[in-house]
Amino acid sequence: MGELTSLLRIKHTIIQAPMAGGAVTPELVAAVSTFGGLGSLASGYLEPENMREQIRQVNQLTSHPFQVNVFVPESIPEMTAEDLTFWKKRLPELPDAHGLPDEQALWDDFEQKMNILLEEQVPIVSFTFACPNEQTIRRFKQLGTLLIGTATTKEEALFLEEKGMDAIVLQGSEAGGHRGTFLPSKGDALQGLISLISEVKPLCHVPLIAAGGIVERKGVEAVLQLGADAVQIGTRFLASEESAAPDVYKQAILQAEGSETAITKLFSGKRARGIVNQWMEKERPHEEATLPYPVQHRWTTPMRKKAAAEGNLDQMALWAGQGVGRIQSILPVKDIMQELSKA
């Protein structure tokens, strides 16, 4: 534990999860970092210059370290006309020009973000959905940037360590939001956090960050006892005053039980855990027919944005982990950090 807090230059072993989609604000990130945890910006769906602006906003709000998380692009499988027509008929709202992303444009976006992170000298950068290439890793290492990867299996953790990640987030199946799985697996790669930590700890030599279903201090203490060096927490911070999640989303978190979450590909084409709503129930038979990520994500964006503007929970992506049933109040980040750290 001491090694990681020293590397990150933080006081407490609490990392706020980098949740893409707009809920994470510079104010939220700065509040976590100022208290002595590690705040995290999510660049996943930001334009590169918007990411730069948020980085500068956080730097104005705190002098403490924070991280920026980046999605590593993946190959987009081919789709048939029938695949596209199927969802055109089922979605209540469709994007302009059918929202088909260009793979090269995704890589150009990634490279622009890498350049900005280097220019802004962000001290800690984390990656989800894959491991960056050797050239990217080398550029950051030359600047002294601390790199964090995301793993959902032992094989992924060992791969990330071999490639040069300085720490690894172990994402248990309990975690809310998108799965970070990126290597093929014989099974479903939905390993629980306790099992995952126990399996990886004896084999990895870099610090491990536990993520999945942790919302209070006793959960923090449990995974630290198992051998994790820090914890990454998302859902609890969604229900904070500094979070930009819509009020109806926050209320849904307060009202949900842990048994009311499920893994789905329906909103984005990539597996993610959220609170079950009408859209998930209605379209459940078509889980395996979803378009690949990020195509399905682009196609459902108009529906999700309209639903959020109208306060319609039935068609929003309500990402939340299995610890959601233990969240009873919306609090300022300072109070949440105080409880999590018992400071």
Side-chain angles (χ1 to χ4, degrees), residues 28-320:
L28 170 54
V29 175
V32 173
S33 290
T34 298
F35 194 91
L38 184 70
S40 310
L41 281 176
S43 77
Y45 304 125
L46 293 178
E47 294 295 325
E49 287 304 320
N50 288 341
M51 183 191 75
R52 189 198 298 273
E53 181 181 351
Q54 288 198 7
I55 291 168
R56 292 181 175 179
Q57 288 174 354
V58 175
N59 277 323
Q60 289 176 349
L61 293 168
T62 185
S63 59
H64 295 265
F66 63 96
Q67 70 161 318
V68 176
N69 177 262
V70 186
F71 291 168
V72 181
E74 307 164 89
S75 297
I76 302 174
E78 290 187 11
M79 294 161 286
T80 67
E82 290 77 10
D83 295 332
L84 300 174
T85 299
F86 179 83
W87 287 104
K88 284 179 188 178
K89 293 178 179 179
R90 301 203 67 81
L91 287 164
E93 307 286 335
L94 285 175
D96 294 337
H98 309 309
L100 290 176
D102 175 76
E103 199 168 309
Q104 185 57 52
L106 296 175
W107 278 108
D108 290 345
D109 175 89
F110 178 81
E111 291 302 330
Q112 288 181 56
K113 288 175 178 174
M114 295 303 97
N115 290 334
I116 290 170
L117 291 168
L118 290 162
E119 291 165 7
E120 298 295 325
Q121 298 185 20
V122 173
I124 305 157
V125 176
S126 64
F127 300 95
T128 306
F129 300 157
C131 182
N133 61 34
E134 293 181 6
Q135 181 183 6
T136 299
I137 293 171
R138 186 165 55 250
R139 291 175 70 196
F140 281 111
K141 293 282 189 179
Q142 289 172 347
L143 195 64
T145 309
L146 189 75
L147 301 180
I148 301 175
T150 305
T152 63
T153 65
K154 175 186 70 177
E155 291 76 17
E156 289 174 348
L158 293 173
F159 180 88
L160 292 169
E161 179 181 37
E162 179 186 352
K163 293 300 181 180
M165 295 295 105
D166 298 295
I168 298 168
V169 173
L170 296 180
Q171 186 190 38
S173 60
E174 306 92 336
H178 282 100
R179 306 292 299 151
T181 305
F182 63 93
L183 290 181
S185 172
K186 289 183 180 179
D188 58 13
L190 290 173
Q191 195 167 1
L193 184 57
I194 291 176
S195 172
L196 188 57
I197 296 171
S198 301
E199 197 169 279
V200 174
K201 181 66 178 178
L203 302 174
C204 272
H205 302 91
V206 298
L208 302 175
I209 301 163
I214 304 166
V215 298
E216 72 275 278
R217 182 62 195 177
K218 62 184 179 181
V220 174
E221 292 172 347
V223 294
L224 294 179
Q225 187 67 32
L226 275 172
D229 298 278
V231 299
Q232 181 168 283
I233 296 174
T235 311
R236 186 63 193 95
F237 287 110
L238 282 176
S240 69
E241 292 181 0
E242 289 86 347
S243 162
D247 288 341
V248 290
Y249 187 175
K250 293 182 182 181
Q251 290 303 314
I253 289 173
L254 299 187
Q255 295 168 14
E257 299 292 340
S259 59
E260 295 173 353
T261 71
I263 300 260
T264 183
K265 295 194 296 182
L266 289 166
F267 289 106
S268 70
K270 184 181 286 290
R271 292 192 299 181
R273 182 177 294 281
I275 300 168
V276 175
N277 59 7
Q278 187 182 82
W279 169 258
M280 288 171 64
E281 290 184 317
K282 176 187 174 186
E283 300 299 331
R284 194 188 305 269
H286 309 302
E287 277 280 348
E288 298 311 311
T290 53
L291 301 171
Y293 180 88
V295 181
Q296 186 85 0
H297 169 80
R298 294 274 184 93
W299 278 43
T300 65
T301 293
M303 175 189 75
R304 291 181 284 109
K305 283 187 174 181
K306 182 179 179 182
E310 296 175 350
N312 174 16
L313 291 172
D314 289 334
Q315 294 178 342
M316 293 170 62
L318 304 172
W319 303 139

